[in-house]
């Protein structure tokens, strides 16, 4: 899945990954593990619904440095505010995994899509056209007083 981070190079990267205000989920699997072969697609399908609310890592134990809380595969670690909140050895079924995600991640607000600006270039042009500048204001004052030549100055602005 392209929305998941799949590589951590050092143990320092684990610490920097936890320095976020969002919940962090680590999934550890091994390419030659039979349980991981069916657990990873299940994990990815459940995690896809929560990808906007948390930072999700899918890591291979053969490529990533050793994590102290991982003693077997598959393992899922839920972190919030830099602290380990839940450790799952094995994934279980889809309902229990969804419940764990909702319990640890579901209360955070999803990322909001970027809003388009309400005003466009046409609006800006109209605002600048009707803006009362100093020279135009003087012409409007002369027009009100009834002085000759004021109409020409006001009309030219």
């Amino acid at each position: 899945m392209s929305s998941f981070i799949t590589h951590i190079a050092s143990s320092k990267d684990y610490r920097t990954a936890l320095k976020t205000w969002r919940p962090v989920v680590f999934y550890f699997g091994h390419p030659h593990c039979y349980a991981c072969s069916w657990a990873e697609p299940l994990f990815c399908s459940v995690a896809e619904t929560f990808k906007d609310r948390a930072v999700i890592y899918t890591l291979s134990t053969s490529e990533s440095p050793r994590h102290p809380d991982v003693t077997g595969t598959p393992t899922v670690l839920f972190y919030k505010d830099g602290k380990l909140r839940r450790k799952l050895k094995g994934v279980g079924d889809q309902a229990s995994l969804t419940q764990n995600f909702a319990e640890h991640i579901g209360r955070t607000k999803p990322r909001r899509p970027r809003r388009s600006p309400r005003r466009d270039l046409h609006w800006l042009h109209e605002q600048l056209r009707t803006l009362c500048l100093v020279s135009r204001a003087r012409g409007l004052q002369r027009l009100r007083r009834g002085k000759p030549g004021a109409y020409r100055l006001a009309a030219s602005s």
Side-chain angles (χ1 to χ4, degrees), residues 6-86:
T6 59
H7 183 69
I8 286 190
S10 67
S11 59
K12 184 180 177 183
D13 291 342
Y14 285 120
R15 290 189 295 274
T16 56
L18 296 176
K19 292 181 181 178
T20 179
W21 61 273
R22 299 178 146 244
V24 178
V25 180
F26 289 111
Y27 168 81
F28 290 92
H30 195 274
H32 302 296
C33 172
Y34 176 73
C36 298
S37 65
W38 63 265
E40 186 170 359
L42 177 68
F43 174 82
C44 289
S45 68
V46 171
E48 185 70 29
T49 60
F50 293 94
K51 71 179 181 181
D52 291 336
R53 298 178 181 174
V55 181
I56 300 171
Y57 292 85
T58 56
L59 304 171
S60 172
T61 55
S62 62
E63 297 172 3
S64 299
R66 188 179 183 288
H67 192 281
D69 291 323
V70 178
T71 56
T73 57
T75 301
V76 181
L77 303 175
F78 292 95
Y79 283 90
K80 198 168 193 179
D81 299 323
K83 297 178 183 175
L84 181 65
R85 299 293 182 194
R86 178 82 185 222

Side-chain angles (χ1 to χ4, degrees), residues 23-152:
V24 178
V25 180
F26 289 111
Y27 168 81
F28 290 92
H30 195 274
H32 302 296
C33 172
Y34 176 73
C36 298
S37 65
W38 63 265
E40 186 170 359
L42 177 68
F43 174 82
C44 289
S45 68
V46 171
E48 185 70 29
T49 60
F50 293 94
K51 71 179 181 181
D52 291 336
R53 298 178 181 174
V55 181
I56 300 171
Y57 292 85
T58 56
L59 304 171
S60 172
T61 55
S62 62
E63 297 172 3
S64 299
R66 188 179 183 288
H67 192 281
D69 291 323
V70 178
T71 56
T73 57
T75 301
V76 181
L77 303 175
F78 292 95
Y79 283 90
K80 198 168 193 179
D81 299 323
K83 297 178 183 175
L84 181 65
R85 299 293 182 194
R86 178 82 185 222
K87 176 181 176 180
L88 297 177
K89 283 188 162 186
V91 175
D93 62 342
Q94 186 170 3
S96 66
L97 188 60
T98 305
Q99 181 182 359
N100 280 312
F101 265 91
E103 186 177 314
H104 297 288
I105 297 172
R107 294 190 179 136
T108 59
K109 293 182 180 178
R111 216 182 282 166
R112 293 179 186 242
R114 191 171 185 181
R115 292 190 325 182
S116 61
R118 292 184 180 177
R119 297 184 170 98
D120 56 354
L121 191 58
H122 177 71
W123 174 85
L124 181 63
H125 179 69
E126 287 296 316
Q127 294 299 316
L128 291 175
R129 191 178 63 80
T130 60
L131 188 64
C132 190
L133 302 174
V134 174
S135 60
R136 186 172 179 195
R138 287 182 186 148
L140 291 174
Q141 286 178 348
R142 286 187 204 142
L143 184 63
R144 286 184 186 160
R145 292 183 196 149
K147 292 187 178 180
Y151 176 74
R152 197 172 1 109

